[in-house]
Amino acid sequence: MSRVAIIGGHGKVALHLTKILTSQGHQVSSVFRNQDHAGDVEQAGATPVVADVSELSVEQMADVFRGHDAVVWSAGAGGASPEATYAVDRDAAIRSMDAAQEASVGRYVMVSYLGARKDHGVPEDNGFFHYAEAKAAADEHLRNSELAWTILQPGALTTDPGTGMIEVSAEPQQDSVAREDVALVAAVVLGNLGTVDKTIQFNTGETPVAEAIEAAL
């Protein structure tokens, strides 16, 4: 049994991940901003931690993470504004990585997006530009950290029921994947140390998640 802290704990991916992990006997602490969501998080099986990561310092985050074995970042500003996007998707994410190191957590899984990179190619006048910039900076910071990291890069997220089947590829045949399957991928990589220091690009496919990931390593 391990203890996992999920940042953005009320998101759909996070709630699916919580259910998967707790069904396997792991303990989950879910960090989220809105007190009104505590019931949903508890129902999924996690211990609620109500906090706004955009306002927490590295030291405050480290206090939250201490005693955990892994951190999963599944938070996002949701395109609220460029300022909010940089505050959450870049700055808070980077502080969480530094906090995980300070708290001696070690394992860190980042939920990013397919195509995230410094040369993302999104034009500045595109509404997606700020998110692309923020995620590129956060992912780069994680790669340069001393954490045992894995970056997940799924395609467009859907609310379709999960199939448990994906395709891992730099150029997947499909361009979307169910959030439930993203959660399953996160759960599988947490338990597979062969995914450490790896970026996994995937979408829905025809291969069981664990098998697809193992074949890609």
Side-chain angles (χ1 to χ4, degrees), residues 18-41:
T18 297
K19 293 174 184 176
I20 295 169
L21 292 176
T22 55
S23 73
Q24 296 172 346
H26 304 295
Q27 294 180 359
V28 176
S29 301
S30 283
V31 183
F32 55 95
R33 186 167 51 105
N34 190 336
Q35 174 68 51
D36 294 343
H37 295 156
D40 294 339
V41 169

Side-chain angles (χ1 to χ4, degrees), residues 26-192:
H26 304 295
Q27 294 180 359
V28 176
S29 301
S30 283
V31 183
F32 55 95
R33 186 167 51 105
N34 190 336
Q35 174 68 51
D36 294 343
H37 295 156
D40 294 339
V41 169
E42 287 180 325
Q43 188 172 7
T47 299
V49 180
V50 180
D52 186 344
V53 293
S54 68
E55 297 180 356
L56 293 183
S57 66
V58 171
E59 292 74 18
Q60 289 169 324
M61 284 195 201
D63 287 341
V64 172
F65 297 159
R66 277 194 185 87
H68 291 80
D69 303 295
V71 170
V72 177
W73 179 275
S74 187
S81 69
E83 293 76 19
T85 296
Y86 288 122
V88 176
D89 294 284
R90 182 190 64 192
D91 301 341
I94 287 173
R95 288 199 304 277
S96 77
M97 299 164 198
D98 296 344
Q101 290 186 183
E102 185 171 315
S104 300
V105 173
R107 189 77 173 102
Y108 191 109
V109 174
M110 164 62 74
V111 179
S112 188
Y113 76 94
L114 188 63
R117 57 183 182 271
K118 293 175 75 173
D119 58 338
H120 51 73
V122 179
E124 286 191 46
D125 60 356
N126 188 302
F128 193 72
F129 174 79
H130 304 290
Y131 181 76
E133 285 283 287
K135 294 300 281 185
D139 289 0
E140 189 69 13
H141 188 84
L142 183 55
R143 290 189 181 99
N144 291 326
S145 74
E146 296 179 1
L147 294 164
W149 57 266
T150 304
I151 296 174
L152 305 182
Q153 293 192 346
L157 304 182
T158 74
T159 55
D160 296 337
T163 65
M165 314 281 275
I166 61 169
E167 177 190 5
V168 179
S169 171
E171 297 181 359
Q173 298 298 309
Q174 302 296 321
D175 61 0
S176 64
V177 61
R179 285 175 169 85
E180 190 173 356
D181 286 332
V182 176
L184 182 55
V185 170
V188 168
V189 302
L190 277 169
N192 184 342

